[in-house]
């Protein structure tokens, strides 16, 4: 009979062996590939000493293709819970040193268990993905594993924030889990995401492309719009995750986080940021940095669809989501990708009760057959839909141009903005001066003895009459024209006033959002 | 991911108004329009069969050649009526995506 001392010794031996994953050599190989060992990643990300592991002793029951009796420590995934910056989270980390982190039936079961735990307890779920994909030897059981994960990603969407971190390969079906989550983090030279990899592409289509070019971190951050944050190494990535979590709530019922910080680091000076000529560009982030707490702005998807800027900040300590046109890129027009980017962000904020600030300076939609054929109509509709559906406090500030359909789409009064402010530099009109002159005054210009002079006169006339916020203000479409120097104060008061907003949508099963 | 802090200098026209901004290189505006009569491979693959000869008259919709790709025999159809002025590929030749295969000159 074993005495207590022996039992404890046995437990300690088993635990020590299992927590070595695939063994010392496998861990060395992982580091040689420039990747951290899965357990080290959890230790690095979570607050010290807070991690509690679940299901360490789970074993696979596969019998075919050489797996029978084969020991796979923790079945290749580490699951459990802990704290990040003092808040509870649930986490899983695939262990590449065990069977390449491949997903089998029990591996998936462990993940779905920790997902259910996160859902019930209302805490964020963080997934560290690093896997060669389905464990082929387990056949359909592996596929069922993925399916069980996807349904939970989908059903918990909007209940708790779900974060995916791609710290190795994430290919084939596996990559759909991150795609269903709220935020995807990638690391340069480490992350690889694609549905069909380079080998398959080479065989079937004959195209030659490297893993990095096809689905590396940089490709996704700048071209595909599939990811939200890019880091140069894993440590930077973990720091970004912590920063993000500080802005968002733990679940859809908990309030938005409040962290008291200081005033912006830089003085706001509109004349230094915004050019006199309304056709000249500036970086809207300079304005954001001048009005938010501590000048802290966490930009989301900063490498893609750069003609619109989205991200998190704080005003008077409380989190807000910001959507802003970027005059520096494509004159801040709306197009397919920027509509997608903004609407997804708006809906995330609405899901988690994060108030929205919209900064408007855009001349319209990007013209061209490329956009039309790509479906700018149905993509653009997403933004109108997202703002209309959102019941969080919506504050809009029109900085400069707000023309035509874009004026409506950028959270106008008509889409339910609670308060619309405008700077004296705002130009709220159906279109720009030259376009208007060419269309509205076409007859007069054509019939004039000096068409060019008449054209210039009409442009000036139009600018005087319409390139301002007062026409819209006279109709109540703009609630107040504000002194730019008072922007931060006005916004803080507006969000403070809106904090108790209570608005409900008409009852329905769920909407048919344009996708 | 550094922003380049140099002032944007490209021009973008929206509804007759011209704006100074930056236009990223992969924006659709830089893509050249397709030229009628220039038949290109829409996918990389191998030329299986060429049904026409240089000088031959063709009508819009006629099959010009068979391009094998993705385990399928893909037909390349004439997009206009005219004469085959140049055939730039041979049977069994491997072609890349976008490669010019046949040029048709329309009657004017």
């Amino acid at each position: 009979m074993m005495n207590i001392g022996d039992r404890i010794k046995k437990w300690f031996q088993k635990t020590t062996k299992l927590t070595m994953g695939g063994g010392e050599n496998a861990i060395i190989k992982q580091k040689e590939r420039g990747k951290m060992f899965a357990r080290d990643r959890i230790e690095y990300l979570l607050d010290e000493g807070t991690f509690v592991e679940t299901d360490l002793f789970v074993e696979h029951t596969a019998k075919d293709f050489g797996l029978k009796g084969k020991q796979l420590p923790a079945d290749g995934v580490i699951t459990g819970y802990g704290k990040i910056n003092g808040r509870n989270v649930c986490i899983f980390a695939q262990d590449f040193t065990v069977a390449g982190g491949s997903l089998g039936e029990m591996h998936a079961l462990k993940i779905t268990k920790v997902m259910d735990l996160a859902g019930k307890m209302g805490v964020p779920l963080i997934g560290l993905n690093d896997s060669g994909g389905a464990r082929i030897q387990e056949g359909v059981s592996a596929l069922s594993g993925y399916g069980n994960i996807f349904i939970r990603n989908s059903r918990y969407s909007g209940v708790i924030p779900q974060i995916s971190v791609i710290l190795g390969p994430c290919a084939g079906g596996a990559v759909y889990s991150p795609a269903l989550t709220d935020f995807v983090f990638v690391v340069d030279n480490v992350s690889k995401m694609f549905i069909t990899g380079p080998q398959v592409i080479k065989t079937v289509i004959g195209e030659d492309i490297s893993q990095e070019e096809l689905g590396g971190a940089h490709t996704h951050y700048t071209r595909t719009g599939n990811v939200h944050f890019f880091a140069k190494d894993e440590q930077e990535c973990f720091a970004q995750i912590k920063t993000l979590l500080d802005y968002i709530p733990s679940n859809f019922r908990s309030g938005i986080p409040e962290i008291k910080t200081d005033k912006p680091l830089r003085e706001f000076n509109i004349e230094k940021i915004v050019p006199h000529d309304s056709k000249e560009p500036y970086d809207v982030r300079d304005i954001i940095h001048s009005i938010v707490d501590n000048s802290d702005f966490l930009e989301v998807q900063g490498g893609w669809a750069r003609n619109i800027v989205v991200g998190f900040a704080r005003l008077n300590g409380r989190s807000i989501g910001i959507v802003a046109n970027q005059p520096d890129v494509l004159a801040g027009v709306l197009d397919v990708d920027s509509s997608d980017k903004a609407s997804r962000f708006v809906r995330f904020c609405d899901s988690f009760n994060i108030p929205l600030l919209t900064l408007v300076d855009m001349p319209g939609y990007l013209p061209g057959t490329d956009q039309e054929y790509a479906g700018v109509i149905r993509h653009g509709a997403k933004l109108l839909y997202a703002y209309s559906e959102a019941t969080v406090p919506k504050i809009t500030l029109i900085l400069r141009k707000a023309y035509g359909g874009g004026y409506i789409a950028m959270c106008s009064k008509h889409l339910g903005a609670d308060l619309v402010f405008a700077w004296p530099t705002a130009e709220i009109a159906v279109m720009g001066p030259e376009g208007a002159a060419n269309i509205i005054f076409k007859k007069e210009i054509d019939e004039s003895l000096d068409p060019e002079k008449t054209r210039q006169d009409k442009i000036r006339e139009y600018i005087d009459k319409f390139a301002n916020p007062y026409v819209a203000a006279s109709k109540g479409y703009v609630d107040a024209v504000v002194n730019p120097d008072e922007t931060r104060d006005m916004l803080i008061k507006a969000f403070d006033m809106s904090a108790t907003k209570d608005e409900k949508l008409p009852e329905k099963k769920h909407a048919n959002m344009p996708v | 991911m550094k922003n380049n802090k140099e002032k944007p200098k490209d021009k973008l026209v929206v509804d007759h108004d011209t704006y100074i901004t930056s236009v990223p290189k992969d924006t659709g505006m830089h893509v050249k329009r397709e030229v009628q009569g220039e038949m290109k491979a829409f996918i990389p693959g191998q030329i299986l069969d060429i049904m026409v000869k240089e000088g031959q008259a063709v009508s819009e919709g006629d099959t010009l050649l068979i391009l094998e790709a993705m385990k399928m025999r893909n037909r390349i159809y004439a997009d206009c009526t005219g004469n085959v002025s140049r055939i730039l590929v041979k049977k069994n030749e491997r072609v890349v995506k976008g490669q010019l295969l046949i040029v048709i000159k329309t009657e004017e």
Side-chain angles (χ1 to χ4, degrees):
Chain A
M1 201 177 59
M2 259 206 269
N3 66 35
I4 294 185
D6 288 333
R7 285 187 183 276
I8 293 183
K9 215 196 287 183
K10 180 173 178 183
W11 164 82
F12 186 74
Q13 282 167 349
K14 282 178 86 94
T15 303
T16 306
K17 183 154 194 291
L18 288 171
T19 53
M20 280 301 286
E24 229 183 277
N25 288 331
I27 297 177
I28 290 173
K29 273 214 196 89
Q30 171 84 340
K31 293 184 182 170
E32 281 171 2
R33 278 187 211 102
K35 293 155 67 181
M36 287 171 75
F37 177 43
R39 288 179 186 278
D40 293 339
R41 287 169 172 161
I42 294 180
E43 282 307 312
Y44 197 94
L45 176 59
L46 264 44
D47 294 347
E48 195 174 333
T50 62
F51 179 58
V52 176
E53 183 168 5
T54 58
D55 291 332
L56 172 60
F57 294 95
V58 160
E59 294 175 357
H60 72 82
T61 53
K63 295 193 276 290
D64 300 315
F65 301 112
L67 270 189
K68 183 168 174 154
K70 184 151 185 218
Q71 310 274 15
L72 296 177
D75 211 37
V77 65
I78 301 138
T79 54
Y81 57 93
K83 288 187 196 276
I84 293 183
N85 285 349
R87 284 164 57 188
N88 285 314
V89 298
C90 283
I91 189 165
F92 69 84
Q94 292 177 310
D95 185 352
F96 200 80
T97 64
V98 177
S102 58
L103 184 133
E105 183 187 15
M106 299 309 281
H107 176 128
L109 188 84
K110 287 178 65 171
I111 294 178
T112 55
K113 264 184 76 178
V114 85
M115 290 175 84
D116 289 337
L117 188 66
K120 270 189 294 187
M121 307 310 172
V123 299
L125 174 77
I126 303 175
L128 308 186
N129 295 270
D130 184 6
S131 165
R135 200 175 293 161
I136 313 253
Q137 300 93 323
E138 293 202 29
V140 178
S141 299
L143 299 182
S144 89
Y146 281 120
N148 290 329
I149 293 173
F150 298 159
I151 190 173
R152 283 166 177 80
N153 284 132
S154 309
R155 294 202 166 179
Y156 289 130
S157 174
V159 176
I160 48 168
Q162 293 178 71
I163 292 173
S164 301
V165 194
I166 317 294
L167 296 175
C170 186
V175 77
Y176 277 119
S177 175
L180 290 163
T181 58
D182 300 302
F183 295 105
V184 182
F185 288 75
V186 290
V187 177
D188 204 10
N189 292 317
V190 169
S191 315
K192 308 268 185 286
M193 293 164 71
F194 29 69
I195 296 290
T196 47
Q199 303 95 311
V200 180
I201 292 182
K202 175 85 190 170
T203 318
V204 178
I205 304 196
E207 256 187 77
D208 242 314
I209 188 164
S210 71
Q211 277 200 349
E212 198 57 33
E213 233 189 294
L214 179 64
H218 192 263
T219 297
H220 282 296
Y221 190 63
T222 57
R223 288 191 73 148
T224 66
N226 287 331
V227 309
H228 304 82
F229 296 97
F230 175 95
K232 64 179 189 310
D233 52 42
E234 295 195 31
Q235 288 84 347
E236 187 184 34
C237 181
F238 295 137
Q240 289 172 343
I241 296 171
K242 293 188 194 192
T243 307
L244 172 67
L245 281 172
D246 278 349
Y247 284 107
I248 63 184
S250 290
N251 61 67
F252 77 108
R253 273 196 258 265
S254 61
I256 48 175
E258 198 165 325
I259 300 185
K260 283 286 180 213
T261 47
D262 297 314
K263 291 183 183 295
L265 297 175
R266 48 175 103 164
E267 275 284 302
F268 177 76
N269 186 337
I270 183 176
E271 301 213 36
K272 280 221 177 99
I273 305 176
V274 180
H276 284 290
D277 183 352
S278 115
K279 304 252 176 90
E280 294 271 334
Y282 59 90
D283 187 340
V284 72
R285 288 170 299 189
D286 286 339
I287 294 183
I288 296 174
H289 285 129
S290 304
I291 59 180
V292 300
D293 286 5
N294 223 48
S295 290
D296 278 334
F297 175 58
L298 178 66
E299 189 171 1
V300 176
Q301 291 188 295
W304 174 68
R306 294 182 301 119
N307 43 319
I308 206 158
V309 168
V310 304
F312 297 103
R314 290 186 189 90
L315 276 179
N316 211 24
R318 293 168 62 84
S319 302
I320 58 168
I322 301 183
V323 178
N325 305 113
Q326 174 64 290
D328 252 7
V329 181
L330 289 171
V333 295
L334 285 172
D335 62 1
V336 167
D337 286 348
S338 55
S339 298
D340 280 7
K341 176 175 167 180
S343 32
R344 187 111 207 275
F345 183 73
V346 164
R347 293 192 87 232
F348 172 82
C349 290
D350 190 48
S351 294
F352 290 98
N353 306 303
I354 299 173
L356 286 162
L357 171 64
T358 304
L359 303 177
V360 189
D361 184 356
M362 56 113 254
Y365 285 82
L366 182 64
T369 48
D370 236 56
Q371 286 293 306
E372 299 296 334
Y373 290 163
V376 65
I377 292 172
R378 63 184 169 86
H379 287 275
K382 295 179 198 181
L383 189 55
L384 294 160
Y385 175 87
Y387 272 129
S388 302
E389 178 196 54
T391 54
V392 287
K394 299 186 310 217
I395 312 289
T396 302
L397 171 60
I398 303 178
L399 308 173
R400 217 169 52 167
K401 300 179 298 299
Y403 297 156
Y407 151 72
I408 306 174
M410 291 301 294
C411 204
S412 58
K413 197 85 191 145
H414 325 289
L415 295 188
D418 297 295
L419 290 163
V420 177
F421 299 117
W423 280 354
T425 47
E427 298 174 31
I428 305 167
V430 75
M431 61 168 67
E434 305 244 349
N438 288 348
I439 296 174
I440 302 175
F441 303 116
K442 187 175 191 320
K443 197 160 181 288
E444 294 180 40
I445 294 172
D446 287 345
E447 290 174 355
S448 154
L449 294 168
D450 186 352
E452 195 41 44
K453 180 177 182 304
T454 308
R455 223 174 123 261
Q456 291 304 325
D457 285 343
K458 288 303 175 191
I459 289 177
R460 253 189 304 273
E461 193 183 307
Y462 186 86
I463 291 178
D464 280 336
K465 262 189 98 171
F466 296 108
N468 60 64
Y470 305 111
V471 178
S474 75
K475 292 252 182 214
Y477 301 153
V478 163
D479 294 291
V481 181
V482 307
N483 178 350
D485 288 338
E486 292 174 11
T487 299
R488 177 175 153 83
D489 281 338
M490 289 289 288
L491 292 176
I492 287 178
K493 286 193 189 114
F495 280 107
D496 179 65
M497 226 273 299
S498 320
T500 43
K501 178 177 178 184
D502 182 20
E503 185 181 26
K504 305 238 179 327
L505 296 173
E507 213 174 296
K508 54 179 95 172
K509 181 174 176 189
H510 68 75
N512 181 21
M513 172 170 160
V515 274
Chain B
M1 291 310 118
K2 289 249 157 249
N3 311 323
N4 67 349
K5 269 311 184 182
E6 31 169 286
K7 206 106 181 56
K9 294 191 284 295
D10 301 324
K11 289 197 173 71
L12 179 70
V13 178
V14 181
D15 281 339
H16 304 268
D17 282 273
T18 306
Y19 300 93
I20 312 292
T21 185
S22 63
V23 179
K25 283 201 183 29
D26 56 5
T27 308
M29 332 261 308
H30 297 282
V31 169
K32 264 177 52 181
R33 299 292 309 280
E34 295 300 337
V35 177
Q36 199 180 52
E38 284 187 3
M39 312 312 308
K40 298 185 176 164
F42 68 95
I43 195 174
Q46 190 174 27
I47 306 291
L48 215 54
D49 209 353
I50 305 179
M51 341 296 263
V52 295
K53 290 190 180 38
E54 279 189 9
Q56 181 174 338
V58 292
S59 303
E60 187 178 330
D62 284 352
T63 304
L64 301 170
L65 52 78
I66 308 289
L67 170 67
E68 189 183 71
M70 293 283 287
K71 308 223 191 304
M72 295 198 324
R73 291 193 181 83
N74 302 282
R75 290 160 181 264
I76 306 287
Y77 301 105
D79 70 352
C80 59
T81 301
N83 285 303
V84 175
S85 83
R86 292 160 72 198
I87 301 181
L88 295 105
V89 291
K90 292 189 291 293
K91 194 164 159 180
N92 292 328
E93 187 176 328
R94 285 201 177 274
V95 297
V96 299
K97 182 173 170 181
Q99 185 169 338
L100 188 57
L101 311 169
I102 285 184
V103 181
I104 302 171
K105 274 274 183 317
T106 53
E107 321 274 274
E108 279 311 329

